[in-house]
Amino acid sequence: MTDPDIDITRPSSARVWNYLLDGKDNFAVDRELGDALRSANPGIVAVARSQRRFLIQAVTHLAGEVGIRQFLDIGTGLPTADNTHEVAQRVAPESRIVYADNDPLVLAHARALLTSSPEGRTAYIDSHVEDPGRILTEAARTLDFTRPVALTMIGILGNVADYAEARSIVRRLLAAMPSGSYLAVSDGTSTSAQSVESQRVAKQSGHPYNLRTPEEIGGYFEGLELLEPGVVSTPLWRPQPGTDPQPLDVYCAVGRKP
């Protein structure tokens, strides 16, 4: 927590999200922004939790029913319960997982992400989402890109200001992956006045996050085969029987590369 590369004067996306999820890896500046975001949009904590639930569900499905054994998790965030490698290797111990993030505190905690079952393997790449070339080059040290890969991008693409650039990044990453690979995305949407206000608050704090429309979330999946139920508010993606989930200002989908 005292790493000189960690800037405690500016909020960090990973640390703010950690605070909203009741984590301890955050500083006063992150808690201040987290409280301001929660005041602007009281549903933001539920958004954070629904994204974690979606990641767990998607990885469980892809490792289990689909049989994917390789995962590239971009925008890893700070380690918490049920990280991608834990979920995947619980289903298939031989799974290989590569994490990519550029937050210095995430890097400082990377060893918690690098545990693995004896049969599998994990690796960490210190890279920004806007450098897909570096991510692919480094990931190829662990993943075999001649075999299907599941690409997960949870709450990360809003860090890319230009939507066309965000789509281009997704296309470049998927272009390196063979048929039978999958994309899982969940990201915040401008679907209520409260979410738009939280975007304004974040920008005012010097930590902008770019919300998309549901149609723009769907644009990331152009050319892919969407799994049911398609592009939906994240709580509505395959809810547990007997539950009554309500839509939130966050959308998601999982798609297969033909």
Side-chain angles (χ1 to χ4, degrees), residues 53-92:
R53 170 186 165 274
F54 170 69
L55 174 66
I56 293 166
Q57 278 190 295
V59 172
T60 299
H61 173 74
L62 293 173
E65 295 182 40
V66 177
I68 297 294
R69 296 294 179 264
Q70 303 189 108
F71 294 81
L72 176 55
D73 182 337
I74 300 179
T76 306
L78 286 156
T80 182
D82 287 329
N83 297 294
T84 299
H85 74 280
E86 294 169 323
V87 177
Q89 292 181 348
R90 193 156 56 226
V91 177

Side-chain angles (χ1 to χ4, degrees), residues 224-242:
L224 303 185
E225 301 166 348
L226 285 173
L227 273 59
E228 293 294 336
V231 181
V232 296
S233 182
T234 301
L236 307 183
W237 198 86
R238 304 191 177 191
Q240 295 297 317

Side-chain angles (χ1 to χ4, degrees), residues 6-207:
I6 298 172
D7 185 352
I8 65 172
T9 67
R10 294 170 56 86
S12 147
S13 177
R15 299 191 319 245
V16 170
W17 223 236
N18 174 265
Y19 172 61
L20 292 173
L21 288 168
D22 296 324
K24 305 301 181 186
D25 294 312
N26 49 74
F27 299 97
V29 67
D30 308 302
R31 297 189 286 273
E32 181 179 351
L33 176 55
D35 289 340
L37 292 173
R38 188 158 42 195
S39 177
N41 182 11
I44 198 164
V45 173
V47 165
R49 290 174 178 165
S50 72
Q51 287 194 319
R52 287 299 306 177
R53 170 186 165 274
F54 170 69
L55 174 66
I56 293 166
Q57 278 190 295
V59 172
T60 299
H61 173 74
L62 293 173
E65 295 182 40
V66 177
I68 297 294
R69 296 294 179 264
Q70 303 189 108
F71 294 81
L72 176 55
D73 182 337
I74 300 179
T76 306
L78 286 156
T80 182
D82 287 329
N83 297 294
T84 299
H85 74 280
E86 294 169 323
V87 177
Q89 292 181 348
R90 193 156 56 226
V91 177
E94 69 273 24
S95 297
R96 293 187 168 209
I97 295 86
V98 172
Y99 293 102
D101 205 300
N102 75 324
D103 188 292
L105 188 56
V106 178
L107 177 60
H109 284 270
R111 60 182 168 272
L113 296 168
L114 297 179
T115 58
S116 175
S117 64
E119 304 93 332
R121 187 175 172 190
T122 63
Y124 180 88
I125 302 168
D126 180 16
S127 180
H128 197 282
V129 65
E130 292 178 327
D131 193 355
R134 170 176 165 75
I135 291 173
L136 290 169
T137 297
E138 294 297 318
R141 301 176 187 273
T142 302
L143 305 179
D144 177 0
F145 282 107
T146 68
R147 299 172 55 213
V149 177
L151 170 63
T152 64
M153 306 186 79
I154 311 299
I156 184 64
L157 287 165
N159 284 312
V160 182
D162 183 71
Y163 174 64
E165 175 63 15
R167 286 191 63 178
S168 174
I169 289 168
V170 173
R171 285 196 298 268
R172 287 180 63 188
L173 291 166
L174 287 173
M177 301 175 187
S179 173
S181 293
Y182 284 79
L183 170 68
V185 171
S186 177
D187 226 333
T189 52
S190 54
T191 41
S192 75
Q194 290 85 356
S195 68
V196 173
E197 175 62 10
S198 67
Q199 178 178 244
R200 185 194 67 79
V201 168
K203 183 176 182 180
Q204 190 176 46
S205 76
H207 188 69

